[in-house]
């Protein structure tokens, strides 16, 4: 099985998350590439402090980490595409001011919305802005701020101040964790604050989260679950976690069900 490099390194990191260790020889055989190619992949990931190389392979780093967005694109790809499609169908027709935070699923959603007319998109995500900047029938508003390399998002006081002066009918928010107990959470406290500011400026909040994020609680809180009108997830989500979110009063749509 030969994979593109981004998919290959994403798969390596997934195996590390599950098993704690990987063997370079086995990876080379599985991915149908040379041992030298795998060694380069492992070296790149070690340089980014996402693993620690050993003789013949690698081990997971001790601390929990956030995968850079370029490696997350290949994870749960089919589920994220279904979530993006279901979310696009939820959005009102006609003139709409829409907020989009960063994230792989919100990026997929932006591609589905690129041909809409009468749409204003407010975003702090560089990759979403690049996707939409040349669409002549769509108005794009960017926040400014300090770039986070892990998520391609502009965050911090500059982004927060820009958002404070804007009003959005709907905000679609990507998260690293969502649960009835923990609400919306992410790995970075500065990003969490910027996302919370966007949520406060929106009339309605839709969260897009693949099943691996349902029931998960990360370091930085964004807002309680009561601030979310709708969660769009997929069939891999833990049923107990989904039910707890429903009981808290949030509508849950399971894409692909």
């Amino acid at each position: 099985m030969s994979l593109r490099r981004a998919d290959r390194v994403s798969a390596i990191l997934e195996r590390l998350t599950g098993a704690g260790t990987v063997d370079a020889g086995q990876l080379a055989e599985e991915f149908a590439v040379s041992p030298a190619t795998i060694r380069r992949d492992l070296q790149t990931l070690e340089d980014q402090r996402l693993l620690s190389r050993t003789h013949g392979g690698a081990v997971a780093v001790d601390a929990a980490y956030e995968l850079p967005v370029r490696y997350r694109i290949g994870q749960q790809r089919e589920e994220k595409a279904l979530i993006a499609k279901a979310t696009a169908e939820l959005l009102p027709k006609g003139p709409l001011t829409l907020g989009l935070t960063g994230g792989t699923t919100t990026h997929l959603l932006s591609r589905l919305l690129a041909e809409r007319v009468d749409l204003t998109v407010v975003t702090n995500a560089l990759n979403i802005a690049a996707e939409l900047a040349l669409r002549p029938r769509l108005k794009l508003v960017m926040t400014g701020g300090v770039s986070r390399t892990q998520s391609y998002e502009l965050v911090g006081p500059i982004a927060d101040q820009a958002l404070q002066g804007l009003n959005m009918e709907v905000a679609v928010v990507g998260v690293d964790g969502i649960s009835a107990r923990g609400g919306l959470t992410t790995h970075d406290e500065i990003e969490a604050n910027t996302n919370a500011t966007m949520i406060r400026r929106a009339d309605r909040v839709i969260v897009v989260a693949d099943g691996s994020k349902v029931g998960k609680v990360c370091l930085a809180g964004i807002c309680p679950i009561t601030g979310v009108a709708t969660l769009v997830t997929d069939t891999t989500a833990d049923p107990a976690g989904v039910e707890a979110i429903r009981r808290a009063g949030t509508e849950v749509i399971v894409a692909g069900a």
Side-chain angles (χ1 to χ4, degrees), residues 77-91 93 105-113 208 232-233 253 255-256:
R77 180 176 292 175
E78 291 182 8
E79 291 87 350
K80 290 174 180 177
L82 287 171
I83 292 167
K85 184 175 184 295
T87 305
E89 293 170 355
L90 284 177
L91 297 177
K93 307 304 179 186
T105 308
T106 50
H107 186 200
L108 289 172
L109 174 62
S110 72
R111 291 177 175 175
L112 296 177
L113 301 176
V208 288
V232 186
T233 186
I253 294 173

Side-chain angles (χ1 to χ4, degrees), residues 103-126:
T104 52
T105 308
T106 50
H107 186 200
L108 289 172
L109 174 62
S110 72
R111 291 177 175 175
L112 296 177
L113 301 176
E115 298 303 323
R116 279 192 56 164
V117 298
D118 295 332
L119 181 65
T120 298
V121 173
V122 177
T123 188
N124 64 323
L126 293 164

Side-chain angles (χ1 to χ4, degrees), residues 127-151:
N127 54 342
I128 292 174
E131 192 75 43
L132 301 178
L134 299 179
R135 304 290 180 167
R137 296 183 296 177
L138 182 150
K139 182 176 181 179
L140 173 67
V141 180
M142 281 214 75
T143 63
V146 177
S147 176
R148 281 197 77 227
T149 56
Q150 292 93 331
S151 63

Side-chain angles (χ1 to χ4, degrees), residues 40-78:
R40 286 194 294 271
D41 290 344
L42 296 179
Q43 184 61 59
T44 297
L45 293 171
E46 183 176 56
D47 291 344
Q48 296 177 50
R49 299 181 181 178
L50 296 174
L51 55 74
S52 179
R53 291 186 67 190
T54 62
H55 180 69
V59 297
V61 293
D62 292 335
Y65 53 79
E66 175 186 6
L67 290 185
V69 71
R70 62 186 176 277
Y71 296 145
R72 282 186 268 139
I73 291 169
Q75 295 183 317
Q76 291 86 37
R77 180 176 292 175
E78 291 182 8

Side-chain angles (χ1 to χ4, degrees), residues 10 12 18-19 30 36 60 102 119 139 145 151 157 169 177 184 193-194 232 242 244 248 251:
S10 178
I12 291 170
E30 179 181 351
L119 181 65
K139 182 176 181 179
S151 63
E169 292 159 82
L184 310 188
N193 193 67
T194 297
V232 186
V242 168
E251 176 189 29

